[in-house]
């Protein structure tokens, strides 16, 4: 019971921390540094997802349990002290002052969010896309462990390849050479690529891939998916941070996190149930089709904004001025 309470508290506090961190980047970094900041945060997260389980397993095997539990407390305390040293810039905001009532505050942020066309489209897209991505999360272990009978070590190595792809992509995007100049186009291209790759895990089940190549095939597949996924996540973060009034940024990111987390249990239940009664190929095929349809609808809805990304900066300002004047 104590373990469940501690786990729930840690999960809740981690969510508070992630929302606060992402919403405060615009007050810590200039606009030109936002991509680098988001990429470095993603690279640290990816690296920790690879190193932390190995380090935890080592400590659990060789260190006393009380030392093992005291270490996270020390690290969280150290992180809190470092966070207290951050200096936030004051950014002029056109938004309303924060309301004294939590519910009123939440409602005002919700109303603001759905008045912004680009943000509304991105959040609705993210909701549908997260739902279909869960299909791959559910089906992937079934294919590897049940159908292809991979060992736990092989499965863990393939999972690590996903983190390695995320890490390499985040490190590359932190370099000025790989600055994303057209985030909307990059987002749609990345999601479309993932949608086309969705049927790849079932190819070994159809004997399209030789059995002695399956481990390397899935290793490369996981690496590529991790690499492309980050090229979708970073543009979303940049678009939300740049299109949202600073007064509402925390609430907008909070709504996005809530919707993303809320859709996970539904997707897990649905696709877990379907995997026992429906062909895995059919499930991933429908999910791939759903991803591509969602991307196509979003692309059509934001086609004018995507076109605006191609314009030079001075011409873009002129276009915005003429649009607002009309």
């Amino acid at each position: 019971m104590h373990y469940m309470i501690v786990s729930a508290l840690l999960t809740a506090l981690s969510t508070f921390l992630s929302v606060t961190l992402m919403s405060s980047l615009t007050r810590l970094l200039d606009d030109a540094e936002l991509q680098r900041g988001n990429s470095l945060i993603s690279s640290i997260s990816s690296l920790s997802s690879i190193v932390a389980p190995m380090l935890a397993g080592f400590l659990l095997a060789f260190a006393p349990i009380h030392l093992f539990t005291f270490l996270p407390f020390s690290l969280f305390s150290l992180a809190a002290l470092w966070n207290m040293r951050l200096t936030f810039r004051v950014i002029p905001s056109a938004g309303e002052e924060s309301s004294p009532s939590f519910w009123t505050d939440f409602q005002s942020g919700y109303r603001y969010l759905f008045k912004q066309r680009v943000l509304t489209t991105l959040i609705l897209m993210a909701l549908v896309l997260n739902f279909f991505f869960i299909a791959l999360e559910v089906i992937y272990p079934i294919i590897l462990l049940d159908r292809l009978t991979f060992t736990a070590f092989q499965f863990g190595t393939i999972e690590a390849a996903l983190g390695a792809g995320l890490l390499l992509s985040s490190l590359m995007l932190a370099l000025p050479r790989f600055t994303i100049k057209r985030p909307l186009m990059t987002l749609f291209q990345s999601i479309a690529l993932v949608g086309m790759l969705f049927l790849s895990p079932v190819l070994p089940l159809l004997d399209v891939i030789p059995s002695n190549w399956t481990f390397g095939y899935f290793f490369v597949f996981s690496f590529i998916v991790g690499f492309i996924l980050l090229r979708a996540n970073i543009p979303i973060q940049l678009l939300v941070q740049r299109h949202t009034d600073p007064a509402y940024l925390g609430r907008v990111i909070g709504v996005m996190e809530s919707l993303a987390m809320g859709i996970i249990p539904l997707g897990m239940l649905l696709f877990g149930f379907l995997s026992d009664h429906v062909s895995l190929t059919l499930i991933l095929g429908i999910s791939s089709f759903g991803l591509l349809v969602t991307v196509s609808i979003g692309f059509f809805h934001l086609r004018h904004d995507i076109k605006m990304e191609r314009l030079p900066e001075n011409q873009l300002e002129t276009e915005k001025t003429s649009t607002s004047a009309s």
Side-chain angles (χ1 to χ4, degrees):
M1 185 63 182
H2 289 89
Y3 173 79
M4 294 176 64
I5 294 174
V6 171
S7 297
L9 287 174
L10 286 175
T11 303
L13 292 174
S14 297
T15 304
F16 276 110
L17 179 61
S18 65
V19 171
T20 304
L21 179 62
M22 297 308 299
S23 61
S24 65
L25 279 184
T26 55
R27 298 178 183 270
L28 293 169
L29 303 173
D30 296 328
D31 185 75
E33 293 292 319
L34 276 179
Q35 178 180 322
R36 185 166 180 265
N38 285 306
S39 301
L40 289 175
I41 290 173
S42 297
S43 65
I44 293 170
S45 177
S46 302
L47 184 63
S48 64
S49 68
I50 299 172
V51 175
M54 295 187 293
L55 183 60
F58 176 81
L59 289 174
L60 190 60
F62 296 101
I65 189 64
H66 62 273
L67 178 61
F68 181 79
T69 54
F70 180 75
L71 184 60
F73 167 78
S74 303
L75 293 176
F76 275 117
S77 300
L78 183 61
L81 292 175
W82 277 105
N83 284 334
M84 292 172 62
R85 296 172 58 88
L86 295 175
T87 303
F88 296 92
R89 293 183 294 114
V90 177
I91 301 178
S93 168
E96 335 173 331
E97 294 296 325
S98 181
S99 307
S101 166
F102 170 80
W103 179 244
T104 305
D105 203 39
F106 176 80
Q107 285 181 312
S108 65
Y110 194 85
R111 286 193 299 269
Y112 170 84
L113 172 61
F114 286 97
K115 287 179 182 177
Q116 311 299 315
R117 184 173 53 84
V118 173
L119 293 179
T120 302
T121 304
L122 290 177
I123 287 180
L124 293 178
M125 276 183 57
L127 184 63
V128 177
L129 294 173
N130 278 343
F131 178 76
F132 287 120
F133 275 128
I134 295 169
L136 185 62
E137 293 183 23
V138 172
I139 302 301
Y140 206 40
I142 296 175
I143 293 176
L144 296 179
L145 297 174
D146 183 53
R147 304 297 172 87
L148 299 176
T149 62
F150 278 11
T151 65
F153 175 77
Q154 288 175 315
F155 178 72
T157 304
I158 291 171
E159 289 285 294
L162 180 69
L166 290 168
L167 177 61
L168 178 62
S169 183
S170 61
L171 290 175
M172 288 178 61
L173 291 176
L175 300 175
R177 182 179 178 181
F178 298 99
T179 299
I180 297 175
K181 297 178 181 179
R182 299 174 59 190
L184 277 174
M185 180 58 75
T186 302
L187 168 64
F188 285 111
Q189 288 175 342
S190 300
I191 297 176
L193 283 174
V194 173
M196 289 186 283
L197 289 171
F198 241 55
L199 281 174
S200 301
V202 301
L203 295 182
L205 301 180
L206 304 174
D207 295 327
V208 177
I209 306 297
S211 58
N212 57 331
W213 289 10
T214 53
F215 175 74
Y217 173 80
F218 280 107
F219 184 90
V220 173
F221 170 77
S222 294
F223 181 86
I224 292 174
V225 168
F227 187 89
I228 297 175
L229 278 179
L230 195 78
R231 283 186 59 82
N233 287 337
I234 295 297
I236 288 180
Q237 293 172 359
L238 291 174
L239 289 164
V240 170
Q241 289 165 346
R242 289 171 178 170
H243 283 77
T244 307
D245 189 294
Y248 294 99
L249 187 55
R251 281 169 279 184
V252 168
I253 294 177
V255 170
M256 292 183 65
E257 291 273 348
S258 301
L259 292 175
M261 296 298 293
I263 201 67
I264 290 176
L266 176 62
M268 288 288 185
L269 288 172
L270 177 62
F271 292 116
F273 172 79
L274 291 177
S275 64
D276 290 331
H277 302 87
V278 181
S279 166
L280 302 183
T281 305
L282 180 61
I283 295 174
L284 289 181
I286 293 174
S287 300
S288 175
F289 179 75
L291 283 172
L292 295 176
V293 169
T294 304
V295 169
S296 301
I297 294 173
F299 185 90
F300 178 78
H301 192 65
L302 297 179
R303 63 191 184 280
H304 177 70
D305 301 270
I306 295 171
K307 180 182 177 182
M308 294 277 285
E309 288 184 332
R310 300 180 183 177
L311 300 177
E313 189 172 346
N314 55 349
Q315 188 177 349
L316 180 61
E317 290 298 326
T318 305
E319 183 76 16
K320 287 181 177 178
T321 305
S322 60
T323 303
S324 60
S326 59

